Amino acid sequence: MRQRGYLLRTCLLLAIQILQTASFSFGSLSFWGAHRRSKKTLAMTSQEIDMHNSTLIHPPLFDLDSSLSFSLDTVQDESRRVAFERLVATISSLGGEIVSDTIALEKEGQHVVHVNSLVFQVTGSDPILLVVPNTDKVSTTRVEELLADERITDVRLAPADIVEEVCGFPPGSVPPLGHSPTSMRTIVDEQLLNVDTLWGGGGHPGLSSLIKTETLLKLEHVETADIATRSTDAVNSDSINVNYSFMQRERPPKPFFPVAPPPWAMAEKCCTNKNTPNPLKPIPVTIIGRITGVRQMAKRLVFADLAPAHHLLDSEDDRPWRSGLDGKEMSVQLIAGKTLCEALGDTAGPAALRHLKRGQLILVEGKTNVGNRDSLRNWVDKQSLDIVVFSYKVLEEGMTTVEVSPSNIQSNTELRRLQLAASVPPPLSPRPKPPSPESKRRSSSYLSLNDVFPASDDSPTVTVVDSIDSVYEFATKISHLLLSLTTGDTANGEANYASEGIAVPGLDKVGLIGMDCEWRPSFLAASPAEPQPIMLLQISVHPIKRVYIFDTQALFRPLLNPSETMTELECAASQTLVDVFSSQRLIKVGFQLGADLRRLASSYPHIPAFRLFEAVVEVSSLAKKAMQLNKERNLKYHTASLARVTEFLLGKTVDKAQQVSDWAIRPLSEEQIEYAALDAAVSPLLLEKSLQMANAGIITANASRSSSFLQVGRFEDDTMYNGAVISWRFFLLDTNEPAAIRKLKAKRIVGDPYVVTQRWDTGGKPPMKPSVPSRQGEGPYTDVFGVFRMPSKLVRITSGKDPATLVDHLVGHRTGRSKEKCVDSLLTGEAALPNGAKVELHQRSGYVEFADGVALFVNMPDKSYKRGYPNEWLDDGKYMTWYLRKSDWNDGASYLAQKLIQSNQKESESPSVTVLFVRMPKGIFLCCGRCRAIVNKTEVPQDETVEGVHKTGDWGLVQVRLQLLDREKLQSSDEFVSMVKEWPDGRGTVKSSVDGNELLTKDDSDKPAKNAIAEAVLSGNIVGGLSLAVEQASIPPEKRSIKAGLLTLRQQLANDASENAAKALHALLQVDGDS
């Protein structure tokens, strides 16, 4: 029976292999990616067929070193298929057979001679076929003498590119008969008359034909003659077995690797010159082969040598493949590491790496690593091609020999029958090694469902909920549980609220519900963009020791519009789940449960039950707290996965092999059901263990609180466990506005909708529901924390106040460490915001722009770190240098620049106020009162060296000098005085003050001329000011123009620090409409 099982499996593999040959062109080594099949069906194509050359268990009927491989995509490939079918039919009708080279080799001693069938061109006639022993050569002289009577004088070997056109078969596979489209004139060397059977080409590389000599000679178009040049003495009947012994037959040629490796010259060029761009692109590969060596390079990196399936493990041949470029021998190395782990996950990925063993026959999907220069060097130096592994499937665990009789497949009809009977292999997915004696001994270290819930004779432990009846059964159990918890009657009934041997305070007041979800792994999808909704929802009702597996694929319709009307089954299931999810007496426990709940809401947008989840506990968080209290080490490692948490707390780990199985297939396997149930059932047990380990419990009542109360901790208000029990709420955005998505922190999980997530402490007041910002994302809105946000540009800080005295109560005082604290201090007094509202700020910006002012925030540089653009105090604290982006300044014409320039000017049409907040490194902001920009602006180039610091950027900066208007009040602030002393006079470009109002710079020798320019503009003589500016800038007469003059005038005024220059620039900008 065991041999029959092996035989059946081998035949199926062979049939699958031959079936897929109908979709691949052997004649071309071009990549099949343009016609690549989806992973869902895994229809095998050229890579799989070419590497399928010898992938069957040895010895197969067909050695398949080059395998049957025909594609129906081209006329040429169709003709090959027709030619091969005709050959099979012809040979079968004559009593011959098509076999592999391996079978032909086994015919030794039966007077079987290997022959070459060679196509020759002759002048004045059609091509002819000459059949000679493979150890001899054709004598063209003898052939010409034979054909002299037919006036044929020139006989030559046909070029390889026309052989197939003439006979229907590619060079190297030409049979002695059965040619297409018509039979050819065939001349057989006369020394073969004494041979019983001829071994010739089989119409396809790797296949051979066996035909009786006398049968061949009976054909009308076949004749005999002496046409061979002897390589040894004359051959007679007594020496046939010696000269044509199969011992002289070389081993079948090595199979071609299905994907052409990179051109050697190009690879060498890329390796030797790192500045040379690498034009090579990775090529996807699907291949079957035998692992001949495994090297563990790191925890998540394995190198493996891949050979054809027939390759012997003990073979010393380290280059078992042939290159499709030049036919040279080559080797293939698999790289299984980061790519495989990312595709399978943190748990299944490393497990798949560990499962790679020497001797395994595997189906691999990956890509060539030609983009990596180290891999290219490997190819240049060692002729070894690196393949990065996406996924793999183990077909056989070791080298197994299976007897296959040639009678199993004797004809083309039988091949077709097996093709129809064969099924397509399942999608790629790593699977664990079958249990060995050693693994059986280790299996006791894996946790099982019986370890959590001992099997009961009266009722099953696991129930699959996939119909209305099973939904009602679950609803009944939950109703009884909630009733007992509400009435406090927990002593009776079937409920047992704590696991055996575990005493945790408060467990009799609540019910623990373990939860987990499963969905189809992404590598099984047809494309990375294919959405993968939740396929299973597991709910473990811990008090009654039972797990309910909700088959969401059967109960709900995925990825519908939120407004879709529910079916009767969906309504019943949703209402039942609402009773569970919205109850604060049922604590939902899971590992990384928040992500599962978010995916659940995204998978079924029209199901209300998946919008709100009360009393959710993350078991990894509580386990980490318990470890901290017990001073355990490596907390991050022990809580990185469910398997590790389980191993630490329970002494057994969870076998995660089924995690990457196909959860969309129905019916589910027993292994899948066991795994799914255990993943949900173990979480409440881990919670109990964590609480017991920390001497903590569940607190369900507090007389000081009027609302319902639920807390986890060692005592009431245990701050270490703040946020341990939380509630989740999900919303789906009905807009794709980028600003709304960013501000509400929405994420796309499954399909197209964006999901907004809210969370809060269970028992507390839920936050306001989020709202979408109006005005195309720039208006007010409610954020995910329930806070009403007003964009700063819509807020007025001078509302009902005198700008001159706006910050009198803040000058010289600390206002807080954050910008929010500083802004809140500006908005005190008369309400500038709705009650409970907050101003929306850009946290990384150096300013907050209001409707009628600006708040500037300056971080003084740390002296231990030299900055290219440091903020500095100048002239004993009267001025400060401040930088902002050139685009924000816009030569003083932007709204922000106008607010800074016109700040605190009563005569301005739109008065505004600028308030400065400064802090020392890692300090608290100090309010330095009102200020204004005096427009002594210096541009900082995009790429320059400042004080030895090279700065590179894609935007420039401008330096604006700020004049402090409340400096006299600041003199009484010790903190301000101390801050200014950190930057003494002479540190910047300013030496000293002249009269307390004007700023004297090193290059201010032309100050009278600048004042004259400003006075001319203010008096209305713009032309005169323009002339003065052009003269001062020394612009050549040929380059002077009105446009150049206006630009120069603006620059001269912007570089002048005087108050007149600021007024003149403002007046000029109002007159110049183009600004």
Side-chain angles (χ1 to χ4, degrees):
M1 291 298 293
R2 184 175 182 181
Q3 291 182 347
R4 291 178 61 186
Y6 278 128
L7 179 61
L8 178 60
R9 179 168 50 182
T10 303
C11 291
L12 286 177
L13 282 174
L14 176 60
I16 292 168
Q17 190 172 358
I18 297 174
L19 174 63
Q20 309 309 328
T21 61
S23 61
F24 164 55
S25 171
F26 175 82
S28 172
L29 286 172
S30 61
F31 174 59
W32 54 274
H35 306 288
R36 189 179 182 187
R37 79 286 179 270
S38 69
K39 294 181 182 178
K40 182 179 292 185
T41 59
L42 199 68
M44 301 171 67
T45 50
S46 64
Q47 272 91 355
E48 296 160 279
I49 297 304
D50 260 353
M51 55 81 190
H52 235 314
N53 297 344
S54 48
T55 55
L56 291 184
I57 305 169
H58 183 79
L61 175 62
F62 292 157
D63 186 49
L64 298 178
D65 280 337
S66 298
S67 176
L68 294 179
S69 40
F70 302 111
S71 171
L72 303 183
D73 295 338
T74 65
V75 175
Q76 180 188 31
D77 297 326
E78 171 66 13
S79 65
R80 288 181 178 178
R81 182 185 64 79
V82 172
F84 181 77
E85 290 181 347
R86 175 176 176 176
L87 173 65
V88 173
T90 301
I91 290 183
S92 299
S93 65
L94 296 176
E97 55 184 339
I98 298 293
V99 297
S100 68
D101 288 347
T102 304
I103 297 298
L105 283 170
E106 295 175 352
K107 301 293 184 178
E108 179 183 6
Q110 300 179 19
H111 296 280
V112 178
V113 172
H114 186 222
V115 297
N116 289 334
S117 302
L118 307 174
V119 178
F120 277 74
Q121 289 179 313
V122 294
T123 57
S125 181
D126 295 332
I128 61 176
L129 183 74
L130 305 180
V131 180
V132 299
N134 75 319
T135 56
D136 292 346
K137 298 181 180 179
V138 172
S139 172
T140 56
T141 302
R142 294 181 182 180
V143 175
E144 290 174 356
E145 292 175 355
L146 177 66
L147 303 178
D149 295 342
E150 303 176 25
R151 297 182 181 181
I152 294 176
T153 58
D154 188 12
V155 177
R156 63 182 62 185
L157 186 67
D161 55 351
I162 70 168
V163 170
E164 187 172 2
E165 179 182 353
V166 172
C167 68
F169 303 101
S173 65
V174 179
L177 74 167
H179 308 113
S180 181
T182 59
S183 299
M184 299 177 60
R185 180 180 180 182
T186 304
I187 303 176
V188 179
D189 188 50
E190 62 182 15
Q191 64 179 317
L192 297 174
L193 293 175
N194 297 325
V195 176
D196 180 70
T197 303
L198 300 181
W199 166 17
H204 193 287
L207 300 183
S208 300
S209 61
L210 294 177
I211 189 72
K212 291 290 185 180
T213 305
E214 60 178 355
T215 302
L216 177 64
L217 296 178
K218 289 179 181 180
L219 300 178
E220 295 180 356
H221 61 278
V222 179
E223 57 188 278
T224 61
D226 184 11
I227 58 174
T229 299
R230 309 290 183 265
S231 59
T232 59
D233 295 335
V235 177
N236 52 48
S237 58
D238 297 331
S239 61
I240 288 179
N241 288 338
V242 175
N243 291 332
Y244 307 118
S245 168
F246 292 106
M247 298 303 294
Q248 297 179 5
R249 165 69 171 163
E250 296 181 358
R251 293 183 59 84
K254 297 178 180 179
F256 284 106
F257 190 72
V259 174
W264 190 90
M266 183 180 297
E268 184 182 36
K269 184 177 180 180
C270 293
C271 292
T272 54
N273 188 358
K274 294 184 178 181
N275 296 324
T276 301
N278 187 352
L280 301 171
K281 301 298 181 182
I283 298 177
V285 179
T286 301
I287 187 168
I288 295 178
R290 182 82 60 182
I291 295 180
T292 58
V294 177
R295 297 173 296 283
Q296 183 85 33
M297 309 303 294
K299 183 178 180 180
R300 294 195 174 192
L301 180 61
V302 172
F303 287 174
D305 299 321
L306 189 72
H310 75 282
H311 192 80
L312 300 178
L313 295 181
D314 297 332
S315 173
E316 297 181 358
D317 188 358
D318 58 354
R319 294 181 180 178
W321 302 93
R322 280 191 295 168
S323 168
L325 285 179
D326 51 19
K328 293 183 179 179
E329 296 180 347
M330 59 175 284
S331 60
V332 174
Q333 176 178 257
L334 302 179
I335 301 177
K338 179 181 178 181
T339 302
L340 181 63
C341 291
E342 287 180 350
L344 303 183
D346 293 337
T347 301
L353 297 180
R354 293 193 297 270
H355 288 156
L356 286 173
K357 303 296 181 183
R358 184 172 181 263
Q360 287 176 335
L361 182 68
I362 62 173
L363 173 60
V364 180
E365 191 168 38
K367 66 177 180 179
T368 59
N369 199 32
V370 294
N372 183 282
R373 295 186 185 272
D374 292 336
S375 290
L376 284 181
R377 172 58 61 189
N378 204 27
W379 170 248
V380 172
D381 295 342
K382 304 177 182 179
Q383 286 290 104
S384 178
L385 183 64
D386 290 346
I387 303 295
V388 177
V389 179
F390 293 155
S391 60
Y392 74 89
K393 180 176 182 179
V394 179
L395 303 180
E396 289 292 336
E397 285 295 340
M399 200 72 161
T400 307
T401 301
V402 180
E403 294 293 338
V404 180
S405 171
S407 62
N408 289 340
I409 305 177
Q410 294 183 347
S411 66
N412 192 46
T413 303
E414 184 69 9
L415 293 180
R416 295 300 181 194
R417 186 187 67 79
L418 284 179
Q419 289 175 11
L420 296 176
S423 59
V424 178
L428 297 179
S429 60
R431 63 182 183 186
K433 188 175 181 179
S436 62
E438 182 181 357
S439 65
K440 289 181 180 180
R441 289 193 297 269
R442 293 197 307 264
S443 64
S444 60
S445 62
Y446 284 131
L447 191 72
S448 68
L449 189 59
N450 285 336
D451 295 329
V452 182
F453 297 153
S456 175
D457 296 334
D458 55 348
S459 61
T461 304
V462 181
T463 301
V464 177
V465 181
D466 57 2
S467 64
I468 191 71
D469 293 335
S470 52
V471 169
Y472 288 151
E473 177 188 344
F474 174 77
T476 301
K477 295 290 185 181
I478 293 299
S479 298
H480 291 167
L481 177 60
L482 288 175
L483 180 61
S484 63
L485 291 172
T486 304
T487 60
D489 185 14
T490 60
N492 299 322
E494 60 176 331
N496 185 8
Y497 293 86
S499 299
E500 185 177 352
I502 297 180
V504 175
L507 275 184
D508 58 335
K509 305 296 183 182
V510 297
L512 298 184
I513 303 293
M515 288 185 61
D516 191 44
C517 296
E518 305 295 342
W519 58 90
R520 200 163 181 248
S522 58
F523 67 88
L524 294 180
S527 69
E530 181 182 349
Q532 298 299 332
I534 295 292
M535 292 285 113
L536 289 184
L537 168 62
Q538 305 100 274
I539 298 179
S540 173
V541 186
H542 202 62
I544 62 176
K545 306 295 185 283
R546 192 166 301 173
V547 181
Y548 293 88
I549 298 180
F550 280 73
D551 187 352
T552 54
Q553 188 174 231
L555 298 174
F556 307 109
R557 295 166 296 165
L559 306 177
L560 297 182
N561 191 287
S563 60
E564 182 73 21
T565 303
M566 291 189 294
T567 64
E568 180 182 357
L569 178 59
E570 288 174 337
C571 286
S574 177
Q575 184 56 52
T576 299
L577 292 175
V578 165
D579 295 340
V580 178
F581 298 154
S582 63
S583 173
Q584 295 186 11
R585 294 185 180 275
L586 299 178
I587 299 181
K588 277 65 73 176
V589 189
F591 185 85
Q592 296 182 354
L593 188 53
D596 286 356
L597 301 181
R598 186 185 298 113
R599 191 179 192 92
L600 194 60
S602 181
S603 299
Y604 303 96
H606 68 297
I607 304 299
F610 302 144
R611 300 290 182 87
L612 175 64
F613 299 87
E614 296 273 12
V616 178
V617 173
E618 174 57 44
V619 69
S620 63
S621 176
L622 265 63
K624 184 178 293 186
K625 296 180 187 300
M627 295 176 192
Q628 289 175 341
L629 292 173
N630 284 269
K631 299 182 180 180
E632 298 287 348
R633 298 181 179 180
N634 301 325
L635 303 184
K636 186 176 181 180
Y637 172 83
H638 290 307
T639 58
S641 67
L642 179 63
R644 290 180 182 175
V645 175
T646 305
E647 185 174 19
F648 182 86
L649 294 177
L650 304 180
K652 292 184 178 183
T653 187
V654 177
D655 186 359
K656 305 293 287 186
Q658 292 296 322
Q659 185 181 41
V660 294
S661 61
D662 193 344
W663 294 101
I665 294 178
R666 296 295 182 271
L668 296 170
S669 66
E670 294 182 3
E671 292 79 7
Q672 286 179 310
I673 293 177
E674 167 83 11
Y675 168 82
L678 180 59
D679 256 17
V682 73
S683 295
L685 182 58
L686 296 177
L687 173 64
E688 293 175 338
K689 287 286 187 179
S690 299
L691 295 178
Q692 185 184 42
M693 185 178 178
N695 294 321
I698 297 176
I699 304 170
T700 58
N702 190 330
S704 63
R705 297 175 182 263
S706 58
S707 61
S708 60
F709 178 65
L710 181 63
Q711 189 186 67
V712 172
R714 295 162 294 176
F715 44 82
E716 287 189 8
D717 298 322
D718 188 350
T719 56
M720 185 173 186
Y721 286 89
N722 282 349
V725 186
I726 60 176
S727 298
W728 294 83
R729 185 163 58 190
F730 303 103
F731 301 89
L732 275 76
L733 282 185
D734 56 358
T735 178
N736 289 329
E737 177 65 42
I741 294 172
R742 183 185 71 254
K743 292 179 179 181
L744 295 180
K745 302 178 181 179
K747 293 184 178 180
R748 181 178 284 169
I749 310 299
V750 181
D752 296 330
Y754 283 91
V755 179
V756 179
T757 304
Q758 281 188 306
R759 52 179 291 177
W760 65 93
D761 289 344
T762 299
K765 183 180 179 181
M768 292 178 58
K769 294 182 179 180
S771 61
V772 176
S774 58
R775 302 183 184 180
Q776 296 182 343
E778 299 301 326
Y781 68 99
T782 303
D783 65 12
V784 295
F785 303 104
V787 178
F788 185 71
R789 294 283 180 181
M790 285 282 291
S792 60
K793 292 183 180 181
L794 302 180
V795 178
R796 301 185 64 86
I797 58 177
T798 61
S799 178
K801 301 177 184 178
D802 182 5
T805 60
L806 175 67
V807 293
D808 285 352
H809 65 291
L810 298 177
V811 175
H813 297 283
R814 294 182 176 183
T815 52
R817 292 186 179 274
S818 65
K819 295 177 184 178
E820 290 84 350
K821 293 288 186 182
C822 298
V823 170
D824 289 345
S825 65
L826 287 176
L827 300 176
T828 56
E830 186 175 342
L833 291 173
N835 186 27
K838 294 287 185 180
V839 176
E840 182 186 22
L841 310 176
H842 295 288
Q843 294 294 335
R844 300 186 63 84
S845 176
Y847 64 90
V848 176
E849 185 176 0
F850 297 96
D852 56 351
V854 184
L856 304 181
F857 299 90
V858 176
N859 293 302
M860 300 305 293
D862 189 344
K863 290 186 178 181
S864 62
Y865 174 72
K866 180 177 287 188
R867 294 171 57 182
Y869 314 127
N871 302 107
E872 297 175 319
W873 291 109
L874 304 177
D875 201 17
D876 197 24
K878 294 180 181 178
Y879 304 93
M880 165 173 278
T881 59
W882 184 66
Y883 296 86
L884 81 162
R885 294 182 179 182
K886 188 176 180 180
S887 58
D888 291 343
W889 180 255
N890 193 22
D891 284 333
S894 66
Y895 288 114
L896 174 64
Q898 289 299 296
K899 290 177 181 177
L900 295 174
I901 294 171
Q902 301 174 20
S903 179
N904 304 290
Q905 294 184 9
K906 295 182 180 180
E907 64 274 13
S908 176
E909 296 180 1
S910 56
S912 63
V913 60
T914 300
V915 183
L916 177 64
F917 297 90
V918 184
R919 69 176 175 183
M920 298 295 289
K922 300 180 181 180
I924 301 176
F925 279 109
L926 180 73
C927 180
C928 296
R930 297 169 299 135
C931 67
R932 74 162 172 260
I934 55 176
V935 205
N936 196 346
K937 182 265 301 180
T938 302
E939 288 191 15
V940 181
Q942 293 186 8
D943 195 356
E944 72 163 12
T945 301
V946 181
E947 296 185 5
V949 179
H950 186 71
K951 306 295 290 186
T952 301
D954 57 0
W955 42 264
L957 294 176
V958 294
Q959 182 194 84
V960 177
R961 297 181 183 179
L962 304 174
Q963 180 184 6
L964 273 67
L965 303 179
D966 293 323
R967 182 175 179 275
E968 293 183 2
K969 299 178 182 178
L970 288 170
Q971 293 297 324
S972 60
S973 172
D974 294 337
E975 294 187 27
F976 175 78
V977 175
S978 175
M979 184 185 298
V980 172
K981 286 183 179 179
E982 292 291 330
W983 281 264
D985 291 343
R987 180 175 175 81
T989 59
V990 177
K991 291 183 178 180
S992 62
S993 64
V994 178
D995 58 4
N997 293 320
E998 297 180 3
L999 194 62
L1000 181 63
T1001 62
K1002 294 178 181 179
D1003 57 348
D1004 271 352
S1005 58
D1006 57 348
K1007 183 175 181 180
K1010 291 183 179 181
N1011 286 338
I1013 295 174
E1015 291 173 357
V1017 173
L1018 290 175
S1019 64
N1021 185 10
I1022 297 180
V1023 175
L1026 185 149
S1027 300
L1028 290 174
V1030 170
E1031 291 293 338
Q1032 186 176 351
S1034 301
I1035 297 179
E1038 63 273 10
K1039 294 185 178 181
R1040 295 182 182 182
S1041 65
I1042 295 178
K1043 182 177 180 180
L1046 289 174
L1047 179 62
T1048 304
L1049 178 59
R1050 289 200 300 267
Q1051 290 177 343
Q1052 292 286 353
L1053 293 175
N1055 290 329
D1056 190 350
S1058 67
E1059 185 174 355
N1060 284 342
K1063 295 179 180 179
L1065 179 60
H1066 175 63
L1068 182 63
L1069 293 177
Q1070 287 184 332
V1071 174
D1072 188 1
D1074 295 337
S1075 299

